[in-house]
């Protein structure tokens, strides 16, 4: 029994060596593949369309000779994403990926040629390849098949990325509001992420907690979004400018201007968060209840970071119909 196991193990190692040697002898030993997050954002479980995980893939020729490889129009026949949890559990492939690879079909591709030092890049959504169903920390890497998936034993491995998939935010999941109504505690903004800033602002409005609502709103920038107010504010003294901001705040609270930003949604769902070091946007779907229907709107909140604090300084609204 032990002897049989040993023979099988040796054969397995030998087979792996043959595959590795085939890849090395195929003219791809000087090719490298690297990945990085494209337009990095907050990642949540859910569909590939609503919250994609875009990964920027780069293939580089590091050798002295021309590098040639095939690239399928449908990247599912040119690449594979692999992801593991911290417990080393491998994620399942999507049903669409399995279906495509097990169905007889024509695979269209083109041949790419790279000279020494040249690169070729493309962007893929990792959620089209893998099921990110649970919030967790994942380690993700990519395999590129220069002779397409049918010759997957010729494989180029990328570097590994650390991916954090967070729990899906919602009004119900918001457990933190800076203070409760009626307390004498002085509110102070905290260094929280852009999506949490927007989430806490909406929840504060749902609970009619104005102090918390204005905590992460840049009233000065919001006021200056209107050209007439902006010109008047620029020409005013410091004292008059402060009065303009206070009047603007009071008008928002009385629901006499910019009613969209102070409207109270029945429920909401954060769809996307994109940000750099200083600027970002948070896209939220919000439902407003009427007698016999819900009105659905898409809010895009513009946020800016100063001194480590993210604040909302603008917004836009798109109507998505009724339900």
């Amino acid at each position: 029994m032990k002897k049989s196991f040993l023979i099988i193990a040796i054969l397995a190692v030998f087979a792996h060596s043959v595959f590795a040697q085939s890849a090395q002898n195929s003219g791809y030993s000087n090719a490298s593949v690297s990945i990085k997050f494209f337009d990095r954002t907050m990642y949540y479980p859910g569909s590939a369309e609503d919250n994609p995980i875009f990964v920027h893939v780069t293939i580089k020729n590091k050798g002295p000779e021309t590098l040639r490889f095939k690239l399928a129009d449908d990247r599912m026949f040119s690449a594979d994403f692999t992801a593991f949890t911290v417990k080393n559990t491998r994620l399942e492939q999507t049903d669409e990926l399995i279906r495509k690879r097990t169905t007889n079909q024509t695979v269209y591709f083109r041949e790419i040629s790279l000279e020494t030092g040249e690169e070729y890049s493309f962007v893929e959504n990792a959620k089209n390849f893998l099921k990110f169903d649970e919030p967790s920390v994942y380690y993700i890497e990519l395999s590129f098949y220069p002779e397409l998936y049918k010759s997957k034993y010729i494989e180029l491995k990328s570097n590994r990325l650390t991916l954090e998939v967070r729990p899906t935010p919602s009004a119900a999941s918001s457990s933190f509001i800076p203070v409760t109504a009626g307390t004498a505690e002085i509110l102070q903004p905290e260094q929280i992420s852009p999506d949490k800033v927007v989430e806490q602002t909406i929840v504060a409005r749902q609970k009619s907690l104005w102090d918390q609502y204005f905590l992460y709103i840049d009233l000065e920038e919001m006021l200056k979004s209107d050209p007439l107010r902006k010109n008047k504010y620029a020409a005013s003294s410091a004292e008059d400018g402060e009065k303009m901001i206070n009047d603007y705040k009071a008008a928002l609270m009385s629901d006499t201007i910019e009613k969209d930003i102070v409207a109270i949604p029945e429920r909401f769902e954060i769809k996307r968060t994109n940000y750099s070091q200083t600027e970002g946007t948070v896209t939220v779907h919000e439902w407003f209840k009427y007698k016999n229907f819900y009105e659905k709107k898409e809010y895009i909140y513009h946020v800016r970071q100063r001194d480590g604090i993210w604040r909302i300084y603008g917004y836009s609204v798109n109507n998505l119909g009724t339900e």
Side-chain angles (χ1 to χ4, degrees), residues 2-17:
K2 290 183 179 180
K3 183 181 295 185
S4 299
F5 177 78
L6 179 62
I7 293 173
I8 292 171
I10 292 173
L11 288 174
V13 171
F14 176 74
H16 179 76
S17 300

Side-chain angles (χ1 to χ4, degrees), residues 83 89-95 98 129-133:
T89 301
R90 183 169 178 166
L91 288 193
E92 295 182 5
Q93 294 179 328
T94 62
D95 296 337
I98 296 172
F129 293 76
L130 298 173
K131 296 179 180 179
F132 293 92
D133 294 333

Side-chain angles (χ1 to χ4, degrees), residues 202-259:
I202 297 174
V203 173
R205 184 66 191 99
Q206 289 177 322
K207 297 182 178 181
S208 297
L209 301 175
W210 286 109
D211 288 342
Q212 288 91 326
Y213 175 76
F214 288 116
L215 189 62
Y216 294 102
I217 290 183
D218 190 332
L219 287 169
E220 181 180 356
E221 288 300 316
M222 292 277 287
L223 179 147
K224 293 191 295 184
S225 63
D226 179 85
L228 293 177
R229 291 197 304 252
K230 181 179 180 181
N231 293 336
K232 184 178 179 180
Y233 182 79
S236 65
S237 64
E239 183 179 352
D240 289 341
E242 184 177 355
K243 183 178 184 303
M244 281 187 66
I245 292 176
N246 290 331
D247 289 344
Y248 174 69
K249 181 178 180 180
L252 288 174
M253 294 175 66
S254 62
D255 198 19
T256 58
I257 62 171
E258 301 196 41
K259 295 186 178 182

Side-chain angles (χ1 to χ4, degrees), residues 11-26 28 150-156:
L11 288 174
V13 171
F14 176 74
H16 179 76
S17 300
V18 169
F19 283 139
Q21 187 176 7
S22 298
Q24 290 295 316
N25 295 337
S26 305
Y28 300 107
K150 65 179 181 179
S151 302
K152 62 180 180 179
Y153 62 89
I154 304 178
E155 176 185 14
L156 301 175

Side-chain angles (χ1 to χ4, degrees), residues 102-319:
T102 55
T103 303
N104 289 330
Q105 59 180 295
T106 302
V107 177
Y108 296 96
F109 66 90
R110 48 187 171 143
E111 292 189 345
I112 307 293
S113 298
L114 298 179
E115 300 302 324
T116 302
E118 288 185 339
E119 299 177 347
Y120 183 89
S121 298
F122 57 90
V123 176
E124 279 301 306
N125 184 354
K127 281 191 176 180
N128 288 332
F129 293 76
L130 298 173
K131 296 179 180 179
F132 293 92
D133 294 333
E134 300 292 336
S136 182
V137 174
Y138 299 97
Y139 303 107
I140 183 172
E141 58 188 22
L142 178 130
S143 296
F144 181 73
Y145 308 121
E147 294 295 332
L148 305 183
Y149 179 74
K150 65 179 181 179
S151 302
K152 62 180 180 179
Y153 62 89
I154 304 178
E155 176 185 14
L156 301 175
K157 283 278 191 181
S158 76
N159 56 301
R160 176 173 288 190
L161 300 176
T162 301
L163 167 69
E164 181 182 2
V165 176
R166 301 187 176 193
T168 302
S170 65
S173 68
S174 181
S175 57
F176 172 72
I177 290 291
V179 295
T180 57
T183 180
E185 181 182 350
I186 298 175
L187 293 172
Q188 293 293 337
E190 299 191 357
Q191 295 184 3
I192 56 177
S193 60
D195 60 322
K196 294 299 293 183
V197 163
V198 171
E199 180 186 357
Q200 290 189 21
T201 300
I202 297 174
V203 173
R205 184 66 191 99
Q206 289 177 322
K207 297 182 178 181
S208 297
L209 301 175
W210 286 109
D211 288 342
Q212 288 91 326
Y213 175 76
F214 288 116
L215 189 62
Y216 294 102
I217 290 183
D218 190 332
L219 287 169
E220 181 180 356
E221 288 300 316
M222 292 277 287
L223 179 147
K224 293 191 295 184
S225 63
D226 179 85
L228 293 177
R229 291 197 304 252
K230 181 179 180 181
N231 293 336
K232 184 178 179 180
Y233 182 79
S236 65
S237 64
E239 183 179 352
D240 289 341
E242 184 177 355
K243 183 178 184 303
M244 281 187 66
I245 292 176
N246 290 331
D247 289 344
Y248 174 69
K249 181 178 180 180
L252 288 174
M253 294 175 66
S254 62
D255 198 19
T256 58
I257 62 171
E258 301 196 41
K259 295 186 178 182
D260 281 325
I261 192 63
V262 292
I264 303 176
E266 174 81 6
R267 57 190 175 93
F268 69 93
E269 181 180 348
I270 296 178
K271 306 299 290 186
R272 290 183 298 279
T273 305
N274 300 306
Y275 65 96
S276 62
Q277 289 186 343
T278 57
E279 294 274 345
T281 59
V282 181
T283 302
V284 185
H285 286 182
E286 301 185 21
W287 287 262
F288 298 87
K289 187 176 182 180
Y290 292 85
K291 185 175 181 180
N292 297 318
F293 64 92
Y294 283 93
E295 185 178 26
K296 183 180 179 182
K297 295 183 178 183
E298 179 181 74
Y299 280 67
I300 301 176
Y301 296 90
H302 298 268
V303 294
R304 180 177 292 144
Q305 188 263 122
R306 289 178 181 171
D307 300 325
I309 303 298
W310 289 94
R311 284 187 170 89
I312 299 168
Y313 71 91
Y315 68 97
S316 61
V317 184
N318 300 312
N319 291 319

